[in-house]
Coordinates of all heavy atoms in Angstrom, one line a residue:
M27 N 0.8 -1.2 0.0 CA 0.0 0.0 0.0 C 0.9 1.3 0.0 O 0.5 2.2 -0.7 CB -0.9 -0.1 1.2 CG -1.8 1.1 1.3 SD -3.2 0.7 0.3 CE -4.5 1.4 1.1
T28 N 1.9 1.3 0.7 CA 2.8 2.5 0.8 C 3.6 2.7 -0.5 O 3.8 3.8 -0.9 CB 3.8 2.3 2.0 OG1 4.6 1.2 1.8 CG2 3.1 2.4 3.3
I29 N 3.9 1.6 -1.2 CA 4.6 1.7 -2.5 C 3.7 2.3 -3.5 O 4.0 3.1 -4.3 CB 5.2 0.3 -2.9 CG1 6.3 -0.1 -1.9 CG2 5.7 0.4 -4.3 CD1 6.8 -1.5 -2.2
E30 N 2.4 1.8 -3.5 CA 1.4 2.3 -4.4 C 1.1 3.8 -4.2 O 1.0 4.5 -5.1 CB 0.2 1.5 -4.3 CG 0.3 0.0 -4.7 CD -0.9 -0.8 -4.4 OE1 -1.8 -0.3 -3.7 OE2 -0.9 -2.0 -4.8
T31 N 1.1 4.2 -3.0 CA 0.8 5.6 -2.6 C 2.0 6.4 -3.1 O 1.9 7.5 -3.6 CB 0.6 5.7 -1.1 OG1 -0.4 4.8 -0.7 CG2 0.3 7.1 -0.7
G32 N 3.2 5.9 -2.9 CA 4.4 6.6 -3.3 C 4.5 6.8 -4.8 O 4.8 7.9 -5.3
V33 N 4.2 5.7 -5.5 CA 4.2 5.8 -7.0 C 3.1 6.8 -7.5 O 3.3 7.5 -8.4 CB 4.0 4.4 -7.6 CG1 3.7 4.4 -9.1 CG2 5.1 3.5 -7.2
L34 N 1.9 6.7 -6.8 CA 0.8 7.6 -7.2 C 1.2 9.1 -7.0 O 1.0 9.9 -7.8 CB -0.4 7.2 -6.4 CG -1.7 8.1 -6.7 CD1 -2.1 7.9 -8.1 CD2 -2.8 7.7 -5.7
I35 N 1.8 9.4 -5.8 CA 2.3 10.7 -5.5 C 3.3 11.2 -6.5 O 3.3 12.3 -7.0 CB 2.8 10.8 -4.1 CG1 1.6 10.7 -3.1 CG2 3.5 12.1 -3.8 CD1 1.9 10.6 -1.7
A36 N 4.3 10.3 -6.8 CA 5.3 10.6 -7.8 C 4.7 10.9 -9.2 O 5.1 11.8 -9.9 CB 6.3 9.5 -7.9
G37 N 3.7 10.1 -9.6 CA 3.1 10.3 -10.9 C 2.3 11.6 -10.9 O 2.4 12.4 -11.9
L38 N 1.6 11.9 -9.8 CA 0.9 13.2 -9.8 C 1.9 14.4 -9.8 O 1.6 15.4 -10.4 CB 0.0 13.2 -8.5 CG -1.2 12.4 -8.6 CD1 -1.9 12.4 -7.2 CD2 -2.2 12.8 -9.6
S39 N 3.0 14.2 -9.1 CA 4.0 15.2 -9.1 C 4.6 15.5 -10.5 O 4.8 16.6 -10.9 CB 5.2 14.9 -8.1 OG 4.7 14.8 -6.8
L40 N 4.8 14.4 -11.2 CA 5.3 14.6 -12.6 C 4.3 15.3 -13.5 O 4.6 16.2 -14.3 CB 5.6 13.2 -13.2 CG 6.9 12.6 -12.7 CD1 7.1 11.2 -13.3 CD2 8.1 13.4 -13.1
I41 N 3.0 15.0 -13.3 CA 2.0 15.6 -14.1 C 1.9 17.1 -13.8 O 1.8 17.9 -14.7 CB 0.6 14.9 -13.9 CG1 0.7 13.5 -14.5 CG2 -0.5 15.7 -14.5 CD1 -0.6 12.6 -14.2
I42 N 1.9 17.4 -12.5 CA 1.8 18.8 -12.1 C 3.1 19.6 -12.6 O 2.9 20.7 -13.1 CB 1.7 18.9 -10.5 CG1 0.3 18.4 -10.1 CG2 1.9 20.3 -10.0 CD1 0.2 18.3 -8.6
A43 N 4.2 18.9 -12.5 CA 5.5 19.6 -13.0 C 5.4 19.9 -14.5 O 5.7 20.9 -15.0 CB 6.7 18.7 -12.6
F44 N 4.9 18.9 -15.2 CA 4.8 19.1 -16.7 C 3.8 20.2 -17.0 O 4.0 21.0 -17.9 CB 4.3 17.8 -17.3 CG 4.2 17.9 -18.8 CD1 5.3 18.0 -19.7 CD2 2.9 17.9 -19.4 CE1 5.1 18.1 -21.0 CE2 2.7 18.1 -20.7 CZ 3.8 18.2 -21.6
L45 N 2.6 20.2 -16.3 CA 1.6 21.2 -16.6 C 2.1 22.6 -16.2 O 1.9 23.6 -16.9 CB 0.3 20.9 -15.8 CG -0.5 19.7 -16.3 CD1 -1.6 19.4 -15.3 CD2 -0.9 19.9 -17.7
T46 N 2.9 22.7 -15.1 CA 3.5 24.0 -14.7 C 4.5 24.5 -15.8 O 4.5 25.6 -16.1 CB 4.2 23.8 -13.3 OG1 3.2 23.4 -12.4 CG2 4.7 25.2 -12.9
Y47 N 5.3 23.5 -16.2 CA 6.3 23.8 -17.3 C 5.6 24.4 -18.5 O 6.0 25.4 -19.1 CB 7.1 22.6 -17.6 CG 8.0 22.8 -18.8 CD1 9.2 23.5 -18.7 CD2 7.7 22.2 -20.0 CE1 10.0 23.7 -19.9 CE2 8.5 22.3 -21.1 CZ 9.6 23.1 -21.1 OH 10.4 23.2 -22.2
S48 N 4.5 23.7 -19.0 CA 3.8 24.1 -20.2 C 3.2 25.5 -20.0 O 3.2 26.3 -20.9 CB 2.7 23.1 -20.5 OG 3.3 21.8 -20.8
L49 N 2.6 25.7 -18.8 CA 2.0 27.0 -18.6 C 3.0 28.1 -18.6 O 2.8 29.2 -19.2 CB 1.3 27.0 -17.2 CG 0.6 28.3 -16.8 CD1 -0.6 28.6 -17.7 CD2 0.0 28.1 -15.4
N50 N 4.2 27.9 -17.9 CA 5.2 28.9 -17.9 C 5.8 29.2 -19.2 O 6.2 30.3 -19.6 CB 6.3 28.5 -16.9 CG 5.8 28.7 -15.4 OD1 4.9 29.5 -15.2 ND2 6.4 28.0 -14.5
K51 N 5.9 28.1 -20.0 CA 6.5 28.2 -21.4 C 5.6 29.1 -22.2 O 6.1 30.0 -23.0 CB 6.6 26.8 -22.0 CG 7.3 26.8 -23.4 CD 7.4 25.4 -23.9 CE 7.9 25.4 -25.3 NZ 8.0 24.1 -25.9
S52 N 4.3 28.9 -22.2 CA 3.4 29.8 -23.0 C 3.4 31.2 -22.5 O 3.3 32.2 -23.3 CB 2.0 29.2 -22.9 OG 1.4 29.3 -21.6
K53 N 3.6 31.4 -21.1 CA 3.7 32.8 -20.6 C 4.9 33.4 -21.1 O 4.9 34.6 -21.5 CB 3.7 32.8 -19.1 CG 2.3 32.6 -18.5 CD 2.4 32.6 -17.0 CE 1.0 32.4 -16.3 NZ 1.1 32.4 -14.8
A54 N 6.0 32.7 -21.2 CA 7.3 33.2 -21.6 C 7.2 33.6 -23.1 O 7.7 34.7 -23.5 CB 8.4 32.2 -21.4
I55 N 6.5 32.8 -23.9 CA 6.4 33.1 -25.3 C 5.5 34.4 -25.5 O 5.9 35.3 -26.3 CB 5.7 31.9 -26.1 CG1 6.7 30.8 -26.1 CG2 5.3 32.3 -27.5 CD1 6.1 29.5 -26.7
K56 N 4.4 34.5 -24.7 CA 3.6 35.7 -24.8 C 4.4 36.9 -24.3 O 4.3 38.0 -25.0 CB 2.4 35.6 -23.9 CG 1.3 34.6 -24.4 CD 0.2 34.5 -23.5 CE -0.9 33.5 -24.0 NZ -2.0 33.3 -23.0
S57 N 5.2 36.8 -23.3 CA 6.0 37.9 -22.8 C 7.0 38.3 -23.9 O 7.2 39.5 -24.1 CB 6.7 37.5 -21.5 OG 7.6 38.5 -21.1
D58 N 7.7 37.3 -24.5 CA 8.7 37.6 -25.5 C 8.1 38.3 -26.7 O 8.6 39.3 -27.3 CB 9.4 36.4 -26.0 CG 10.4 35.8 -24.9 OD1 10.7 36.5 -24.0 OD2 10.7 34.6 -25.1
S59 N 6.9 37.9 -27.1 CA 6.2 38.5 -28.3 C 5.8 39.9 -27.9 O 5.8 40.8 -28.8 CB 5.0 37.6 -28.7 OG 4.1 37.6 -27.7
Q60 N 5.4 40.1 -26.7 CA 5.0 41.5 -26.3 C 6.2 42.4 -26.3 O 6.1 43.5 -26.8 CB 4.3 41.5 -24.9 CG 3.8 42.8 -24.5 CD 3.2 42.8 -23.1 OE1 3.1 41.8 -22.5 NE2 2.6 43.9 -22.7
E61 N 7.3 42.0 -25.8 CA 8.5 42.8 -25.8 C 9.0 43.0 -27.2 O 9.4 44.1 -27.5 CB 9.6 42.0 -25.0 CG 9.4 42.0 -23.5 CD 10.4 41.2 -22.7 OE1 11.4 40.8 -23.4 OE2 10.2 41.0 -21.6
S62 N 8.9 42.1 -28.0 CA 9.3 42.2 -29.4 C 8.4 43.3 -30.1 O 8.9 44.1 -30.9 CB 9.2 40.9 -30.2 OG 9.5 41.1 -31.5
A63 N 7.1 43.3 -29.8 CA 6.2 44.3 -30.4 C 6.6 45.7 -29.9 O 6.5 46.6 -30.7 CB 4.8 43.9 -30.1
E64 N 6.9 45.8 -28.6 CA 7.2 47.1 -28.1 C 8.5 47.6 -28.7 O 8.6 48.8 -29.0 CB 7.4 47.0 -26.6 CG 6.1 46.8 -25.8 CD 6.3 46.5 -24.3 OE1 7.5 46.5 -23.9 OE2 5.3 46.3 -23.6
V65 N 9.5 46.7 -28.9 CA 10.8 47.1 -29.5 C 10.5 47.6 -30.9 O 11.1 48.6 -31.4 CB 11.8 46.0 -29.4 CG1 13.0 46.2 -30.3 CG2 12.2 45.7 -28.0
R66 N 9.7 46.9 -31.7 CA 9.4 47.3 -33.1 C 8.7 48.6 -33.1 O 9.0 49.4 -34.0 CB 8.5 46.2 -33.7 CG 9.2 45.0 -34.1 CD 8.3 44.0 -34.8 NE 9.0 42.7 -35.0 CZ 8.4 41.6 -35.1 NH1 7.1 41.5 -35.1 NH2 9.1 40.5 -35.3
A67 N 7.8 48.9 -32.2 CA 7.1 50.2 -32.1 C 8.1 51.3 -31.8 O 8.1 52.3 -32.5 CB 6.0 50.1 -31.1
E68 N 9.0 51.0 -30.9 CA 10.0 52.0 -30.5 C 10.9 52.3 -31.7 O 11.3 53.4 -32.0 CB 10.8 51.6 -29.3 CG 9.9 51.7 -28.0 CD 10.6 51.2 -26.8 OE1 11.8 50.8 -26.9 OE2 10.0 51.0 -25.8
L69 N 11.3 51.2 -32.4 CA 12.2 51.4 -33.6 C 11.5 52.2 -34.7 O 12.1 53.0 -35.4 CB 12.6 50.0 -34.1 CG 13.7 49.3 -33.4 CD1 13.9 47.9 -34.0 CD2 15.0 50.1 -33.4
G70 N 10.2 52.0 -34.8 CA 9.4 52.8 -35.7 C 9.4 54.3 -35.4 O 9.6 55.1 -36.3
Y71 N 9.3 54.6 -34.1 CA 9.4 56.0 -33.7 C 10.8 56.6 -33.9 O 10.9 57.7 -34.4 CB 9.0 56.1 -32.2 CG 7.6 55.8 -31.8 CD1 7.4 55.0 -30.7 CD2 6.5 56.2 -32.6 CE1 6.1 54.6 -30.4 CE2 5.2 55.9 -32.2 CZ 5.0 55.1 -31.1 OH 3.7 54.8 -30.8
I72 N 11.8 55.8 -33.7 CA 13.1 56.2 -33.9 C 13.4 56.5 -35.4 O 14.0 57.5 -35.8 CB 14.2 55.2 -33.3 CG1 14.1 55.2 -31.8 CG2 15.6 55.6 -33.8 CD1 14.9 54.1 -31.1
R73 N 12.9 55.6 -36.2 CA 13.0 55.7 -37.7 C 12.4 57.0 -38.2 O 13.0 57.7 -39.0 CB 12.4 54.5 -38.4 CG 12.7 54.5 -39.9 CD 12.1 53.2 -40.5 NE 12.8 52.0 -40.0 CZ 12.2 51.0 -39.5 NH1 10.9 50.9 -39.4 NH2 12.9 49.9 -39.1
R74 N 11.2 57.3 -37.7 CA 10.5 58.5 -38.1 C 11.3 59.7 -37.6 O 11.4 60.7 -38.3 CB 9.1 58.5 -37.6 CG 8.2 57.6 -38.4 CD 6.7 57.8 -38.1 NE 6.3 57.4 -36.7 CZ 6.0 56.1 -36.4 NH1 5.9 55.2 -37.3 NH2 5.7 55.8 -35.2
G75 N 11.8 59.6 -36.4 CA 12.6 60.8 -35.9 C 13.8 61.0 -36.7 O 14.2 62.2 -37.0
V76 N 14.5 59.9 -37.1 CA 15.7 60.1 -38.0 C 15.3 60.7 -39.3 O 16.0 61.5 -39.9 CB 16.4 58.7 -38.1 CG1 17.5 58.8 -39.2 CG2 17.0 58.3 -36.8
D77 N 14.2 60.2 -39.9 CA 13.8 60.8 -41.2 C 13.5 62.3 -41.1 O 13.8 63.0 -41.9 CB 12.5 60.0 -41.7 CG 12.8 58.6 -42.1 OD1 14.0 58.3 -42.3 OD2 11.9 57.8 -42.2
D78 N 12.8 62.7 -40.0 CA 12.6 64.1 -39.7 C 13.9 64.9 -39.6 O 14.0 66.0 -40.2 CB 11.7 64.3 -38.5 CG 10.3 63.8 -38.6 OD1 9.9 63.6 -39.8 OD2 9.7 63.6 -37.6
I79 N 14.9 64.3 -38.9 CA 16.1 65.0 -38.8 C 16.8 65.1 -40.2 O 17.4 66.2 -40.5 CB 17.0 64.2 -37.8 CG1 16.5 64.4 -36.4 CG2 18.5 64.7 -37.9 CD1 17.2 63.5 -35.4
K80 N 16.7 64.1 -41.0 CA 17.3 64.2 -42.3 C 16.7 65.3 -43.2 O 17.4 66.0 -43.9 CB 17.2 62.8 -43.0 CG 18.1 61.8 -42.6 CD 17.9 60.5 -43.3 CE 18.8 59.4 -42.9 NZ 18.6 58.1 -43.6
I81 N 15.4 65.4 -43.1 CA 14.7 66.4 -43.8 C 15.1 67.8 -43.3 O 15.4 68.7 -44.1 CB 13.1 66.2 -43.7 CG1 12.7 65.0 -44.4 CG2 12.4 67.4 -44.2 CD1 11.3 64.5 -44.2
D82 N 15.2 67.9 -42.0 CA 15.6 69.2 -41.4 C 17.0 69.6 -41.9 O 17.3 70.7 -42.2 CB 15.5 69.2 -39.9 CG 14.1 69.2 -39.4 OD1 13.2 69.5 -40.2 OD2 13.9 68.8 -38.2
L83 N 17.9 68.6 -41.9 CA 19.3 68.8 -42.3 C 19.3 69.3 -43.8 O 20.1 70.2 -44.2 CB 20.2 67.6 -42.1 CG 20.6 67.3 -40.7 CD1 21.4 66.0 -40.6 CD2 21.5 68.4 -40.2
K84 N 18.5 68.7 -44.6 CA 18.5 69.0 -46.0 C 18.0 70.5 -46.2 O 18.6 71.2 -47.0 CB 17.6 68.1 -46.8 CG 17.7 68.1 -48.3 CD 16.8 67.0 -48.9 CE 17.1 67.0 -50.4 NZ 16.3 65.9 -51.0
V85 N 17.0 70.8 -45.4 CA 16.5 72.2 -45.5 C 17.6 73.2 -45.0 O 17.8 74.2 -45.6 CB 15.2 72.4 -44.7 CG1 14.8 73.8 -44.5 CG2 14.1 71.6 -45.3
N86 N 18.3 72.8 -43.9 CA 19.3 73.7 -43.4 C 20.5 73.8 -44.4 O 21.0 74.9 -44.6 CB 19.9 73.1 -42.1 CG 18.9 73.4 -40.9 OD1 18.1 74.2 -41.0 ND2 19.1 72.6 -39.9
K87 N 20.8 72.8 -45.1 CA 21.9 72.9 -46.1 C 21.5 73.8 -47.2 O 22.3 74.6 -47.7 CB 22.2 71.5 -46.7 CG 23.0 70.6 -45.9 CD 23.2 69.2 -46.5 CE 24.0 68.3 -45.6 NZ 24.2 67.0 -46.3
E88 N 20.2 73.7 -47.7 CA 19.7 74.7 -48.7 C 19.7 76.1 -48.2 O 20.1 77.0 -49.0 CB 18.3 74.3 -49.1 CG 18.3 73.0 -49.9 CD 16.8 72.5 -50.2 OE1 15.9 73.2 -49.8 OE2 16.7 71.4 -50.8
Q89 N 19.3 76.3 -47.0 CA 19.4 77.7 -46.4 C 20.8 78.2 -46.3 O 21.0 79.4 -46.6 CB 18.7 77.7 -45.0 CG 17.2 77.5 -45.1 CD 16.6 77.5 -43.7 OE1 17.2 77.3 -42.7 NE2 15.2 77.6 -43.6
I90 N 21.7 77.4 -45.9 CA 23.1 77.8 -45.8 C 23.7 78.1 -47.2 O 24.4 79.1 -47.3 CB 23.9 76.7 -45.1 CG1 23.6 76.6 -43.6 CG2 25.4 77.0 -45.3 CD1 24.2 75.5 -42.8
S91 N 23.3 77.3 -48.2 CA 23.8 77.6 -49.5 C 23.2 78.9 -50.0 O 24.0 79.7 -50.6 CB 23.3 76.5 -50.4 OG 23.6 76.8 -51.8
H92 N 22.0 79.2 -49.7 CA 21.3 80.4 -50.1 C 22.0 81.6 -49.4 O 22.3 82.7 -50.0 CB 19.8 80.4 -49.8 CG 19.1 81.7 -50.2 ND1 18.9 82.1 -51.5 CD2 18.5 82.6 -49.4 CE1 18.3 83.2 -51.5 NE2 18.0 83.6 -50.2
L93 N 22.3 81.5 -48.1 CA 22.9 82.5 -47.3 C 24.4 82.8 -47.8 O 24.8 83.9 -47.9 CB 22.9 82.2 -45.9 CG 21.6 82.3 -45.2 CD1 21.7 81.8 -43.7 CD2 21.0 83.7 -45.2
T94 N 25.0 81.7 -48.2 CA 26.4 81.8 -48.7 C 26.4 82.7 -50.0 O 27.3 83.5 -50.2 CB 27.0 80.4 -49.0 OG1 27.0 79.7 -47.8 CG2 28.4 80.5 -49.5
E95 N 25.4 82.4 -50.9 CA 25.3 83.2 -52.1 C 25.0 84.7 -51.8 O 25.6 85.6 -52.4 CB 24.2 82.7 -53.0 CG 24.5 81.3 -53.6 CD 23.3 80.8 -54.4 OE1 22.4 81.5 -54.7 OE2 23.3 79.6 -54.6
R96 N 24.2 84.9 -50.8 CA 23.8 86.3 -50.4 C 25.0 87.0 -49.8 O 25.3 88.2 -50.1 CB 22.7 86.3 -49.4 CG 21.4 85.9 -50.1 CD 20.2 86.0 -49.1 NE 20.0 87.4 -48.6 CZ 19.3 87.7 -47.6 NH1 18.6 86.8 -47.0 NH2 19.2 89.0 -47.3
V97 N 25.8 86.3 -49.0 CA 27.0 86.9 -48.4 C 28.0 87.3 -49.5 O 28.6 88.3 -49.4 CB 27.6 86.0 -47.3 CG1 29.0 86.4 -46.9 CG2 26.7 85.9 -46.1
T98 N 28.2 86.4 -50.5 CA 29.1 86.7 -51.5 C 28.7 87.9 -52.3 O 29.5 88.8 -52.6 CB 29.2 85.5 -52.5 OG1 29.5 84.3 -51.8 CG2 30.1 85.7 -53.6
R99 N 27.4 88.0 -52.6 CA 26.9 89.2 -53.3 C 27.1 90.5 -52.5 O 27.5 91.6 -53.0 CB 25.4 89.1 -53.7 CG 25.2 88.2 -54.8 CD 23.8 88.2 -55.3 NE 23.3 86.9 -55.5 CZ 22.2 86.3 -55.0 NH1 21.4 87.1 -54.3 NH2 21.9 85.1 -55.2
I100 N 26.8 90.4 -51.2 CA 27.0 91.5 -50.3 C 28.5 91.9 -50.2 O 28.8 93.1 -50.2 CB 26.4 91.2 -48.9 CG1 24.9 91.2 -49.0 CG2 26.9 92.3 -47.9 CD1 24.2 90.7 -47.7
E101 N 29.4 91.0 -50.1 CA 30.8 91.3 -50.1 C 31.2 92.0 -51.4 O 32.0 93.0 -51.3 CB 31.6 90.0 -49.9 CG 31.6 89.4 -48.5 CD 32.3 88.1 -48.4 OE1 32.6 87.5 -49.4 OE2 32.6 87.7 -47.3
E102 N 30.7 91.5 -52.5 CA 31.0 92.2 -53.8 C 30.5 93.6 -53.8 O 31.2 94.6 -54.2 CB 30.5 91.4 -55.0 CG 31.2 90.1 -55.2 CD 30.4 89.2 -56.2 OE1 29.4 89.6 -56.7 OE2 31.0 88.1 -56.5
S103 N 29.3 93.8 -53.3 CA 28.7 95.1 -53.3 C 29.4 96.0 -52.3 O 29.6 97.2 -52.6 CB 27.2 95.0 -52.8 OG 26.6 96.2 -52.7
S104 N 29.9 95.5 -51.2 CA 30.6 96.2 -50.3 C 32.0 96.7 -50.9 O 32.4 97.8 -50.7 CB 30.9 95.4 -49.0 OG 31.7 96.0 -48.1
K105 N 32.6 95.8 -51.6 CA 33.9 96.2 -52.2 C 33.7 97.3 -53.2 O 34.4 98.3 -53.3 CB 34.5 95.0 -53.0 CG 35.3 94.0 -52.2 CD 35.9 93.0 -53.1 CE 36.6 92.0 -52.4 NZ 37.2 90.9 -53.3
S106 N 32.6 97.2 -54.0 CA 32.3 98.2 -55.0 C 32.0 99.6 -54.3 O 32.4 100.6 -54.7 CB 31.1 97.8 -55.8 OG 30.7 98.8 -56.7
A107 N 31.2 99.5 -53.2 CA 30.9 100.7 -52.4 C 32.2 101.4 -51.9 O 32.4 102.6 -51.9 CB 29.9 100.4 -51.3
H108 N 33.1 100.5 -51.3 CA 34.4 101.1 -50.8 C 35.2 101.7 -51.9 O 35.8 102.7 -51.7 CB 35.2 99.9 -50.1 CG 34.7 99.6 -48.7 ND1 34.8 100.5 -47.7 CD2 34.0 98.6 -48.2 CE1 34.3 100.0 -46.6 NE2 33.8 98.8 -46.9
R109 N 35.2 101.1 -53.1 CA 36.0 101.7 -54.2 C 35.4 103.1 -54.5 O 36.1 104.1 -54.8 CB 35.9 100.8 -55.4 CG 36.8 99.6 -55.3 CD 36.8 98.8 -56.6 NE 37.3 97.5 -56.3 CZ 36.7 96.4 -56.7 NH1 35.6 96.4 -57.5 NH2 37.2 95.2 -56.4
R110 N 34.0 103.2 -54.6 CA 33.4 104.5 -54.9 C 33.7 105.5 -53.8 O 34.0 106.7 -54.1 CB 31.9 104.3 -55.0 CG 31.5 103.6 -56.3 CD 30.0 103.7 -56.6 NE 29.2 103.1 -55.5 CZ 28.7 101.9 -55.5 NH1 29.0 101.1 -56.5 NH2 28.0 101.5 -54.5
I111 N 33.6 105.0 -52.5 CA 33.9 105.9 -51.4 C 35.4 106.4 -51.5 O 35.7 107.6 -51.3 CB 33.7 105.2 -50.0 CG1 32.2 105.0 -49.9 CG2 34.2 106.1 -48.9 CD1 31.8 104.2 -48.7
D112 N 36.3 105.5 -51.8 CA 37.7 105.9 -51.9 C 37.9 106.9 -53.1 O 38.6 107.9 -52.9 CB 38.6 104.7 -52.2 CG 38.7 103.8 -51.0 OD1 38.4 104.2 -49.9 OD2 39.1 102.6 -51.2
T113 N 37.2 106.7 -54.2 CA 37.3 107.6 -55.3 C 36.7 109.0 -54.9 O 37.4 110.0 -55.2 CB 36.5 107.1 -56.5 OG1 36.9 105.8 -56.8 CG2 36.6 108.0 -57.7
I114 N 35.6 109.0 -54.2 CA 35.0 110.3 -53.7 C 36.0 111.0 -52.8 O 36.2 112.2 -52.9 CB 33.7 110.1 -53.1 CG1 32.7 109.6 -54.2 CG2 33.2 111.3 -52.4 CD1 31.3 109.2 -53.6
E115 N 36.6 110.2 -51.9 CA 37.6 110.8 -50.9 C 38.8 111.4 -51.6 O 39.3 112.5 -51.3 CB 38.0 109.8 -49.9 CG 36.9 109.5 -48.8 CD 37.4 108.5 -47.8 OE1 38.4 107.8 -48.0 OE2 36.6 108.3 -46.8
K116 N 39.3 110.7 -52.6 CA 40.4 111.2 -53.4 C 40.1 112.5 -54.1 O 40.8 113.5 -54.1 CB 40.9 110.2 -54.4 CG 41.6 109.0 -53.8 CD 42.1 108.0 -54.8 CE 42.7 106.8 -54.2 NZ 43.1 105.8 -55.2
E117 N 38.9 112.5 -54.7 CA 38.4 113.7 -55.5 C 38.2 114.9 -54.5 O 38.6 116.0 -54.8 CB 37.1 113.5 -56.2 CG 37.3 112.6 -57.4 CD 35.9 112.3 -58.1 OE1 34.9 112.8 -57.6 OE2 36.0 111.5 -59.0
R118 N 37.8 114.6 -53.3 CA 37.5 115.6 -52.3 C 38.8 116.2 -51.8 O 39.0 117.4 -51.5 CB 36.7 115.0 -51.2 CG 36.3 116.0 -50.2 CD 35.3 115.4 -49.2 NE 34.9 116.4 -48.2 CZ 34.5 116.1 -47.0 NH1 34.4 114.8 -46.7 NH2 34.2 117.0 -46.2
N119 N 39.8 115.3 -51.6 CA 41.1 115.7 -51.1 C 41.9 116.5 -52.2 O 42.7 117.4 -51.9 CB 42.0 114.5 -50.8 CG 41.5 113.9 -49.5 OD1 40.9 114.5 -48.6 ND2 41.8 112.6 -49.3
L120 N 41.6 116.3 -53.5 CA 42.2 117.1 -54.5 C 41.6 118.5 -54.6 O 42.3 119.4 -55.0 CB 42.0 116.4 -55.9 CG 42.8 115.1 -56.1 CD1 42.4 114.5 -57.4 CD2 44.3 115.3 -56.0
L121 N 40.4 118.7 -54.1 CA 39.8 120.0 -54.2 C 40.3 120.9 -53.1 O 40.9 121.3 -52.5 CB 38.3 119.9 -54.1 CG 37.6 119.3 -55.3 CD1 36.1 119.2 -55.0 CD2 37.8 120.0 -56.6

């Protein structure tokens, strides 16, 4: 009778252990899939942020190029104005 009880308890213990293992395995899979979905969502946000930064950089490059052209024109205009001022000063000094 004691051997049969011991075998019965051992068998029940094995069944409980197997069921517990199966339950925990499915929970781990669900947890892993949820974490994977969260990581994918965060990567999507990061990707959109990087794309926005690229667009902003492109706009900034165009603005800098435009400003560079304007500065070049202003420098040329300034040189011309200084030449005219120098000419006027020379003429004034001659009088």
Side-chain angles (χ1 to χ4, degrees):
M27 183 79 146
T28 58
I29 295 176
E30 294 171 353
T31 307
V33 171
L34 181 64
I35 291 174
L38 288 174
S39 297
L40 286 174
I41 291 172
I42 291 172
F44 178 75
L45 292 175
T46 304
Y47 170 75
S48 298
L49 180 64
N50 287 336
K51 183 178 176 183
S52 66
K53 283 183 181 178
I55 291 172
K56 287 179 184 177
S57 175
D58 288 344
S59 63
Q60 183 180 4
E61 288 176 10
S62 177
E64 290 173 359
V65 168
R66 285 184 188 153
E68 290 175 6
L69 283 175
Y71 295 135
I72 291 170
R73 185 177 296 127
R74 283 191 291 274
V76 168
D77 290 343
D78 290 343
I79 290 170
K80 285 181 181 179
I81 291 169
D82 290 344
L83 282 176
K84 192 172 188 178
V85 169
N86 284 343
K87 284 181 182 179
E88 291 173 2
Q89 289 176 344
I90 289 172
S91 175
H92 180 69
L93 288 175
T94 302
E95 292 175 16
R96 289 183 63 192
V97 166
T98 302
R99 282 191 229 129
I100 290 171
E101 287 175 342
E102 291 171 357
S103 177
S104 174
K105 276 185 184 179
S106 176
H108 280 290
R109 285 185 199 133
R110 287 192 302 266
I111 291 170
D112 289 342
T113 304
I114 292 171
E115 284 180 351
K116 285 180 185 177
E117 289 176 3
R118 188 172 178 203
N119 287 335
L120 291 177
L121 295 178

